[in-house]
Amino acid sequence: MIVKGTYFQNDPVNPLVYGDVEITNVPRQRLRGEEVKEGVLCEPVMVGFCGTDNELMHMGSEGRLSAKFPKGTNRLINGHEGIVWVPSENRFAIVLIRGGDSYDPTRYTEDETYFEYGCDGADGLFADKQYFNPDMLLKIPDGYVTNGKLDLSFAKKMVFPDPFSCMLFQLERMEDLGSAHNFRQTMRRLKVDESKAREIAKDEIFDRTVIFGLGTTGMFIGDLILKAHPNANVLFVARSPEDSPKVTYALKTTKAGYLRNDFDSEADLAKAIIERLGGRATTFIGVSGSNVEHRIAFDEKVLGCNGIYNSFSLGPNISFDTMPFGFENHLIFGSINFRQDHMEKAIEMLAKSNYDEIVELIDKDEFISDPMGAYKNKIYSKNAPMKTAVIWNPQYVNI
C-alpha cells in the first residue's frame, strides 16, 4: 500500500523526506511465546517529535541508519509517540512501541530480538496509515472522546506515554538498584532486619538527587521521584534562565529545586551543586546529552560514596578514574526500555496531568513542506518548546 509519510534514509543531503512510501503488513509478536499476528491498519491522529528522531536524522546524514531499517527496505518511517484511530475497532489507541521475540523488553538477552515502531526495524506513525500488532494497541481511558473526536488537551498528553513510560522504568530500576546496592550498610547503621533495610535504602537513594538537564525526560523523572518519595531532595541543573517558561513550569509541576549552569568552570558548578544539595549526590541522572555530565559526577566528585549514576543520554561517552570509582563504590547503569504495564500506568497518570500545557503544535502543511527545515529551525532549534507535536489527521480531533 502506498501512503504519504516522512521517512529517514541514508543520504548526506536529504536524510529526512516526505512523500510516497510503501507500507506492508509484517506479522509481528508482542512477546516471546505469543502468537505472531498480522497488523491492524490504523490512522495516526496526533504524533509527537522526540529527540531520538533528531538523532536518527543525523545518523542518516552520516550513512549509519542501515541497521534501523525494516527488513528488505532502505528507509524507516519515523514517529513513535502518539495516538491512532483504529477503523476496524471504531476506537482510539496508544501504540505500544517495543515488542519482539523476548520475554521482557526491559531485559532482552543476546538470543532474543526486539523491534520498535518508528525507531528500529519497524515503521512508525508519521504516515497517513500504518499497520500495528493488535496486541500493541492500548486502550485509552473513558471520558476523553466527544462526538467521535478526541479532546485536544487529552490528545496532546498522549504524545508522552512513551517517554513517561521510560521514566517509570527508570524509577523502578533506581529503586531496585538503590535497595540492593545499599541495604547491608543500612542494616548495620540502623540495626534493622534485611526487609526493612531494603525499603529504607530504596528511599534513601534519592536523598540528594541531581538531574543534569531539563528536557521532558528530566522533568518527568523528577516528577515521578517526588511523587513516589516526597522527602527526596531533587535538584535540576540546566542552562536555561530561572524565569524561563520551561524552568517555571518544571518547578511548579515537580516542586524540585533548580540551579542554573552559568558558571565559568565545571569545578565551580560542582561546588554549587554540592552546596545546594547539602552534600554529595546519592543519585546523579544524566539527561542533557552532553559529556559534561560524567565529568561533573566523577571528575568533580559530585556523585558521593555508594551513589548511583543513571546514564539516560544518547551520545555522550562516560569515563572515570578506576581508583576512586572502586573505593567509593559507585554504581553505573544505563537502560532505555519500558514494559506494557509502564505504558498503561503512564497513560492513566498523564490523562490526569496538565502536561498538555507544554505541547506546542506545528502545522502539518508547514512540517511536510520542509521536514528537515522544521526539525532544524523550529522543533529542535535553540528556542524550541519543550515538546512539539503535529495533528496528522484533524478529522479525529476537537480543535
Side-chain angles (χ1 to χ4, degrees), residues 120-132:
D120 200 336
D123 286 329
L125 281 76
F126 277 116
D128 292 343
K129 295 182 180 181
Q130 191 56 268
Y131 293 101
F132 299 108

Side-chain angles (χ1 to χ4, degrees), residues 289-296 298-299 309 311 313-320 332:
S290 72
N291 282 312
V292 177
E293 296 172 352
H294 76 97
R295 295 197 297 268
I296 294 296
F298 299 115
D299 296 351
Y309 184 92
S311 173
S313 291
L314 291 176
N317 294 313
I318 297 174
S319 64
F320 51 87
I332 300 175

